[in-house]
Structures are given as C-alpha cells and as structure tokens.
C-alpha cells in the first residue's frame, strides 16, 4: 500500500510488496508498528495546520470535536448545519423517523468542526483501518485481474495455434475459457510464491487517508482553490469535479512539513506513553524521532472535498449516501477470486498488527497463493490483540481442560 498521507510511504510500500511476495524479515512487525505510531503523531500536526488554514479562510476561530460512530456524525450535522429548505427538512425528518436505516453503528474517526456560533463549517476524518484495507485490495484486485486476463489470453492463444486458427476466429467453449482463467489465476499466484511479482506504486496509491469536507456556499467554495494555491507550502495537485447524484469538488493537496529540526522538536514534546500499548518502548520511540523525520518525505498529501450544505445533506441522508456508494462499489467488483480475497486479508492483517500490542510474529500467516476463510483471518487478528477468537456457544465450561475427565456420580 502506498499511503500518500504518510512520510514513510515508500518504506511501507516496500514492506507491503515483500509480504505479498512472502519475503519476511523478523523485525517487520516492529517496523510496521513504528511507522504507524510516528505517522499518527505527524498526522496530528497536519490536522492542526489544516484547521488553521480553514480558520483563516472562514475568518473565524474553529472548534473541533471527535466522534466515533456514524449516527453521532449525522446527528451533529443536523444540529449544527443551520440551513433549512423544504428538501433539507424532508431529509432530516426521514432520518429522525428511522435513524437505524442510516448505518448508525458504523465506526468512524471524524471531527465536527464548528465556529463559535456552533455553525458547521467542516468535517474531518481519518480513514478507518478496514476501509484502508478494502480500498487497497480493490486497487490491487484491478491490477491482478489485468495480469490474469493477459495470461488467460495467452493460454487461449496457445490453444488457437494448436488448432491452426487465428485467435480472433477461434471459438472456445465456456468450459475451455474457464479453464484458461483458472490456469492464469494459478500462474499469477505462483508468481507470488516465486517472489517474482511486482506492482507499481500507482496501483496501490491511496490519497485520502486524511480528508476534510468544507461546507459553504458555492460562491465561497469557488474561492478556496485559489486561496490555497497562494499559501506557502501548499500545492494543489489535482482538482476533480463530480456532477450527478453526487455533487462536489475534490482537491488533492500536497502540504510541506516543517523543517526537520522543527518537526522533530514538536514530536518530542508529545506524550509517547501510548507507544507501550503498541508493544514499543516509549523512551526508544522518543529517542529515534530525529532519525525517523530525517528519513521521511518532506510533504504529505491530503484530500479536501468542497460541498454546499444542501449537497452535504444529499450525501449523508439523500440520493448519494456514502455507504450505499461503497456497497455498489463492492457489488461491481469484476474479480472476486482467491487472489483478490487474499490481498484484502493480507492488508487487513498488516494494519491490525500495526495497531495491536504485538510487534513480533514468527512468519507471514497470510500467503497470496493460499486459501482462507474469513474466520481464519479473524482468529489471526484476535491473536494479535491477545484475545481468543471464539470459545464456542458452550465455551464457558464445555470442552475445557479437565471437565471431560471428571467422573460423574451414578
């Protein structure tokens, strides 16, 4: 995975590619954990900077409050949006009539950003681990599917040559084409086993780990790209306009980090005791801040979404609900074979390892060429957290050591 909001994105990508090729180093777990611990702190400073920029743009001091579930986010939108039209009021009433219809317990890591008058100005969010894993696996599946199709076509070409017929004129049965695809899938899987597969960063790039949604009138929003482009250390690298059921403008911004010494000093002032919950020594983490900052990139990339209050309501309560767009994306996956599933499983395991108290593992348990059920992956992730995955419906006593050896009275 190539996460552009992170300064050590190249190191993380190289580690990901090694794991996909089943190339394991004993220190990988600690390296992975260290990257995400440091990047969490750097991201906190990036969020502070974005809030300062938005405060200047809105010409108002900002207040930010964290929420952890989607129902909290939606309730805060209704409480602080301050816009009333017949359509907005209709959508709000639909939510109040049946809040359970709007994915209420979906976890989020979001900020509600208001001014001193409690008016909603923006939303911030850090993409959740499960969504990062899913998005990376979607990108990876697209790349793998192309490889599988190329190999399947080569197998069909061989059959056509044996038949003495050009491929374009060669008629294959459904069974033969299915066999070509299976062989191609196995060939790509074997490439992982042989450690010969390579996928470029562009196929695994995720630009929206850190994102903000700016809420204002269209006239105000139209001024923001120019204002941002004039700020030192801010580079607008992409502007993408969406029109249809979903209406918004997406900006990708590259933000320069402070000079190395300044950034390191800010990080050293932080409380690193939380590192112990990730299996790291807080003193050692603080001691190595300087090296980490020096070895990282000098800028990170974030996403800004520009939307009006009315379109925000449609995206959260109306015609373009975000969760429904995710469900449709899942349903449109062209390939859902074992390679695609394993890609998602592997990324999910890596991110769980980074967020767990475990830093040492004996091997990479998820192989791209293996076969797994979701229950196996859940058990592996539970073990990283020090938990038993499933003791069974009667697990309180039944089948525990000694209970089957106790003689029963006649």
């Amino acid at each position: 995975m190539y996460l552009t909001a992170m300064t050590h994105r190249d190191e993380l990508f190289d580690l990901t590619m090694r794991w996909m090729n089943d190339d394991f180093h004993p220190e990988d777990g600690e390296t992975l954990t260290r990257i995400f611990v440091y990047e969490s702190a750097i991201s906190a400073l990036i969020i502070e900077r974005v809030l300062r920029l938005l405060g200047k743009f809105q010409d108002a001091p900002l207040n930010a409050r964290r929420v952890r579930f989607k129902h909290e986010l939606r309730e805060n939108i209704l409480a602080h949006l301050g816009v009333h039209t017949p359509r907005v009021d209709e959508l709000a009433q639909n939510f109040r009539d049946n809040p359970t219809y709007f994915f209420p317990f979906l976890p989020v890591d979001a900020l509600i950003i208001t001014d001193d008058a409690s008016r909603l100005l923006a939303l911030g969010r850090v993409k959740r681990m499960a969504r990062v894993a899913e998005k990376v696996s979607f990108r990876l599946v697209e790349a793998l599917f192309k490889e599988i199709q190329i190999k399947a076509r080569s197998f069909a070409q061989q059959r056509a040559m044996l038949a003495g017929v050009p491929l374009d004129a060669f008629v294959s049965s459904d069974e033969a084409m299915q066999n070509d695809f299976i062989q191609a899938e196995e060939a790509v899987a074997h490439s992982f086993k042989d450690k010969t597969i390579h996928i470029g960063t562009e196929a695994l790039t995720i630009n929206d780990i850190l994102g903000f949604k700016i809420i204002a009138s269209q006239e105000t929003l139209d001024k923001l790209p120019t204002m941002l482009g004039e700020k030192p250390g801010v580079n607008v690298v992409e502007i993408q306009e969406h029109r249809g059921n979903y209406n918004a403008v997406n900006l990708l911004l590259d933000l320069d980090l402070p000079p190395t010494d300044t950034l390191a000093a800010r990080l050293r002032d932080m409380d690193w005791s939380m590192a112990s919950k990730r299996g790291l020594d807080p003193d050692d983490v603080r001691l190595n801040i300087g090296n980490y900052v020096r070895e990282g990139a000098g800028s990170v990339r974030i996403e800004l979404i520009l939307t009006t209050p009315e379109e925000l309501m449609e995206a959260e309560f109306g015609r373009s609900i975000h969760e429904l767009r995710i469900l449709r994306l899942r349903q449109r996956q062209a390939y859902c074979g074992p390679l695609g599933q394993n890609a998602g499983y592997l990324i999910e395991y890596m991110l769980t390892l980074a967020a767990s108290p475990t830093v040492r593992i004996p091997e990479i348990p998820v192989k791209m060429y293996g076969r797994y059920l979701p229950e196996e992956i859940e058990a592996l992730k539970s073990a990283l957290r020090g938990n038993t995955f499933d003791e069974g419906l009667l697990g309180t006593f039944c089948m525990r050591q000694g209970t089957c050896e106790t003689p029963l009275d006649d």
Side-chain angles (χ1 to χ4, degrees):
M1 46 192 158
Y2 193 71
L3 310 183
T4 57
M6 303 177 71
T7 65
H8 278 237
R9 48 190 174 265
D10 290 319
E11 182 182 15
L12 179 61
F13 177 77
D14 291 343
L15 193 152
T16 303
M17 287 307 304
R18 281 201 291 104
W19 276 40
M20 287 174 60
N21 281 299
D22 197 22
D23 183 4
F24 176 67
H25 297 177
E27 68 277 8
D28 281 348
E30 186 170 349
T31 299
L32 193 60
T33 302
R34 173 179 53 82
I35 289 173
F36 278 92
V37 165
Y38 282 130
E39 296 296 337
S40 174
I42 294 170
S43 295
L45 301 181
I46 293 297
I47 291 171
E48 285 182 12
R49 182 179 178 188
V50 174
L51 290 177
R52 288 195 299 271
L53 285 172
L54 296 181
K56 291 179 181 178
F57 176 69
Q58 299 283 6
D59 193 25
L62 303 184
N63 305 298
R65 186 167 66 85
R66 192 179 189 183
V67 295
R68 304 310 297 268
F69 290 98
K70 204 58 189 276
H71 71 86
E72 293 180 271
L73 180 72
R74 289 191 163 111
E75 287 166 359
N76 273 277
I77 289 172
L78 295 183
H80 300 288
L81 190 63
V83 171
H84 294 280
T85 68
R87 176 60 174 168
V88 167
D89 292 344
E90 175 192 0
L91 294 175
Q93 191 59 50
N94 289 343
F95 174 75
R96 294 188 180 103
D97 288 343
N98 188 8
T100 59
Y101 191 67
F102 293 84
F103 309 92
F105 303 115
L106 182 69
V108 297
D109 195 356
L111 291 175
I112 306 294
I113 302 166
T114 59
D115 61 14
D116 283 344
S118 198
R119 180 172 58 100
L120 183 65
L121 300 181
L123 301 171
R125 65 106 180 90
V126 178
K127 193 174 285 294
R128 291 183 302 112
M129 180 172 61
R131 283 290 295 130
V132 173
E134 182 177 52
K135 197 161 187 177
V136 172
S137 69
F138 281 171
R139 300 284 175 83
L140 185 54
V141 162
E142 290 175 5
L144 294 177
F145 188 47
K146 291 176 183 176
E147 289 292 320
I148 293 170
Q149 287 179 311
I150 291 170
K151 289 189 179 295
R153 184 176 177 84
S154 71
F155 290 137
Q157 179 75 54
Q158 293 172 18
R159 291 192 294 107
M161 289 177 60
L162 289 174
V165 179
L167 180 59
D168 292 344
F170 186 57
V171 179
S172 295
S173 67
D174 290 343
E175 182 180 0
M177 289 189 291
Q178 181 67 24
N179 287 337
D180 288 342
F181 191 86
I182 291 173
Q183 288 184 62
E185 193 175 44
E186 291 174 349
V188 173
H190 198 74
S191 297
F192 285 107
K193 194 171 185 177
D194 290 344
K195 301 178 175 57
T196 58
I197 199 83
H198 178 73
I199 296 172
T201 57
E202 65 283 351
L204 297 182
T205 296
I206 305 295
N207 289 316
D208 60 346
I209 299 299
L210 287 178
F212 290 83
K213 185 170 286 190
I214 315 304
I215 304 147
S217 68
Q218 191 61 57
E219 181 182 4
T220 301
L221 294 175
D222 289 342
K223 301 174 184 176
L224 186 57
T226 301
M227 186 276 282
L228 290 171
E230 294 171 349
K231 294 291 182 183
V234 179
N235 182 27
V236 181
V237 295
E238 182 178 294
I239 301 176
Q240 185 178 23
E241 188 171 349
H242 298 275
R243 289 290 176 259
N245 282 336
Y246 173 70
N247 296 304
V249 175
N250 286 42
L251 307 180
L252 292 182
L253 304 183
D254 281 352
L255 302 180
D256 289 346
L257 295 172
T260 298
D261 291 345
T262 304
L263 178 58
R266 288 289 310 276
L267 294 176
R268 288 191 189 98
D269 286 340
M270 293 184 172
D271 179 6
W272 290 95
S273 60
M274 47 71 63
S276 62
K277 297 180 180 179
R278 301 287 180 89
L280 301 177
D281 180 347
D283 292 335
D284 185 61
V285 170
R286 178 178 278 105
L287 183 65
N288 286 287
I289 285 173
N291 290 334
Y292 189 85
V293 171
R294 280 190 292 274
E295 293 169 359
S299 67
V300 296
R301 182 166 294 180
I302 69 167
E303 179 187 58
L304 288 190
I305 299 174
L306 313 184
T307 191
T308 63
E310 294 80 6
E311 288 299 332
L312 174 67
M313 289 295 293
E314 295 292 350
E316 293 295 339
F317 306 95
R319 65 172 181 268
S320 57
I321 294 177
H322 179 66
E323 292 80 9
L324 294 179
R325 285 186 275 130
I326 292 174
L327 289 174
R328 285 193 289 269
L329 181 62
R330 291 172 181 172
Q331 293 164 357
R332 288 200 303 265
Q333 282 292 98
Y335 172 68
C336 56
L339 282 177
Q341 292 171 341
N342 291 348
Y345 291 154
L346 180 60
I347 298 300
E348 200 171 333
Y349 181 84
M350 290 179 70
L351 294 176
T352 303
L353 174 61
S356 76
T358 300
V359 294
R360 291 282 176 177
I361 56 174
E363 63 173 346
I364 302 169
V366 181
K367 318 292 187 184
M368 288 295 294
Y369 49 85
R371 292 197 297 183
Y372 309 95
L373 289 173
E375 295 91 331
E376 295 178 76
I377 307 305
E378 286 302 320
L380 288 168
K381 293 192 300 180
S382 293
L384 292 175
R385 304 185 191 103
N387 301 326
T388 301
F389 171 55
D390 186 356
E391 292 189 343
L393 294 174
L394 303 178
T396 304
F397 294 103
C398 185
M399 304 298 287
R400 288 184 178 272
Q401 184 69 28
T403 58
C404 297
E405 302 167 6
T406 303
L408 297 176
D409 295 333
D410 291 335

